[in-house]
Amino acid sequence: MNTLRIENLSHRFGVTEVLHGITLELAAGETLALVGPSGCGKSTLLRIAAGLLVPAEGEVHNPFRGSACVFQQPRLMPWKTALDNVALGLKALGLPRAARRRQAHALALQLGLQEDDLRKYPHELSGGMQSRVSLARALVLAPDLLLLDEPFASLDVGLKQALYAVLRAQVAARGCAMLMITHDLIEAVRLADRICLMAGTPGQMVHQYRLRQPFEARDEDWVHATTGRLVQRPEVRAAFGLPALAMAEAAPAETAVQEAFAAPPLPPHPAHPGGCGDLFRP
């Protein structure tokens, strides 16, 4: 099985270290969410995984056949129609015009774009429609590895829900691996098989959690209850700068989170010699 492996990775911009001792794995068919406060290096790590940056130290092994990125801003070509934006990557791959437009058209409709939308230019589309175009542009390439850098952050709740459903259906159908960056714990709990918590300056892996609940059973009550329990965890509160809870408040949360999560150990590295994750057991 193909697996993205990042081993003992550190990175710096100039003399400022932004990532330290990062080790993680992501297998085909798995969704991993990197969560943490702003400035802890999540986006830098994603860009390294995408091959857009070369790490200062450490190893990145990416055996996946193709990767595609979706960023927080849609980054559409303003002189191209929505359809041509979706087909842009296929053009770069050398697909004939008729074939790439046919593929782009079919996927765009699956993602909720209408015929009229496909003839419009980006400035004529709403923010939600632009986000659908950006997502379609990545998915039409049928990537083995999908990289998301908070593409839903600026969208309203209803539109997020619709795009979550589309994304999960596409990922399940294609069996691709997905690495997503978010500071939204609800989004991570809703979409991920596994959550890695990052914190600090430079950014380091603090803890990880594997969600036991099948996606089809993650209704609104479960998502919000699980997120509420997770945010009571001491390491989560510390990472996001929240005040510590009294012992009487924290103890019930510990038990409740154990029921929702299993936490495999993080591979050991210099920043955390003993690894993380041994607080929870399946």
Side-chain angles (χ1 to χ4, degrees):
M1 177 183 293
N2 285 341
T3 301
L4 171 69
R5 291 186 173 86
I6 296 175
E7 299 179 0
N8 200 24
L9 183 147
S10 297
H11 192 66
R12 62 186 62 88
F13 293 116
V15 298
T16 303
E17 189 175 31
V18 294
L19 293 170
H20 181 78
I22 301 292
T23 294
L24 64 81
E25 294 185 352
L26 173 62
E30 182 183 24
T31 295
L32 172 62
L34 296 177
V35 303
S38 298
C40 70
K42 303 185 299 296
S43 292
T44 299
L45 181 55
L46 182 136
R47 282 162 172 75
I48 290 173
L52 302 177
L53 289 175
V54 177
E57 300 174 18
E59 300 290 333
V60 178
H61 176 63
N62 182 0
F64 290 110
R65 178 182 57 83
S67 302
C69 299
V70 186
F71 298 100
Q72 185 169 346
Q73 300 300 322
R75 301 186 181 183
L76 304 179
M77 303 296 104
W79 59 89
K80 290 185 176 292
T81 64
L83 180 60
D84 286 335
N85 267 284
V86 174
L88 190 61
L90 296 176
K91 181 178 181 180
L93 292 176
L95 208 66
R97 185 174 188 272
R100 65 178 182 258
R101 288 176 67 87
R102 184 168 57 251
Q103 290 187 29
H105 181 272
L107 183 61
L109 295 182
Q110 288 180 39
L111 267 64
L113 291 159
Q114 304 299 316
E115 291 284 352
D116 287 348
D117 297 325
L118 298 181
R119 292 188 288 269
K120 294 177 181 177
Y121 291 88
H123 72 275
E124 299 175 295
L125 299 171
S126 68
M129 290 297 104
Q130 290 185 27
S131 294
R132 290 176 191 262
V133 172
S134 178
L135 184 57
R137 181 177 58 188
L139 290 175
V140 77
L141 299 173
D144 290 340
L145 175 62
L146 183 62
L147 302 157
L148 306 182
D149 191 0
E150 301 192 86
F152 311 120
S154 62
L155 303 180
D156 62 64
V157 174
L159 184 55
K160 282 184 180 182
Q161 294 276 29
L163 289 181
Y164 290 159
V166 168
L167 180 61
R168 280 290 347 148
Q170 291 289 328
V171 168
R174 296 162 185 262
C176 65
M178 184 165 74
L179 178 62
M180 57 179 290
I181 304 298
T182 183
H183 58 262
D184 184 343
L185 288 174
I186 292 178
E187 186 170 275
V189 168
R190 191 185 303 278
L191 294 176
D193 297 294
R194 189 159 46 95
I195 298 172
C196 281
L197 175 66
M198 293 181 65
T201 306
Q204 302 176 45
M205 291 295 182
V206 176
H207 210 95
Q208 70 171 317
Y209 318 88
R210 185 178 298 280
L211 282 79
R212 295 170 170 170
Q213 192 84 336
F215 287 108
E216 60 272 14
R218 296 185 190 184
D219 59 20
E220 290 300 301
D221 288 343
W222 184 88
V223 168
H224 288 276
T226 301
T227 305
R229 294 163 183 162
L230 181 60
V231 83
Q232 295 181 63
R233 291 289 307 156
E235 67 274 7
V236 174
R237 299 189 71 80
F240 284 93
L242 298 172
L245 297 175
M247 290 298 293
E249 297 176 88
E254 171 80 14
T255 301
V257 172
Q258 286 179 3
E259 295 173 356
F261 294 95
L266 286 171
H269 55 72
H272 303 286
C276 296
D278 54 348
L279 296 176
F280 303 150
R281 302 192 184 280

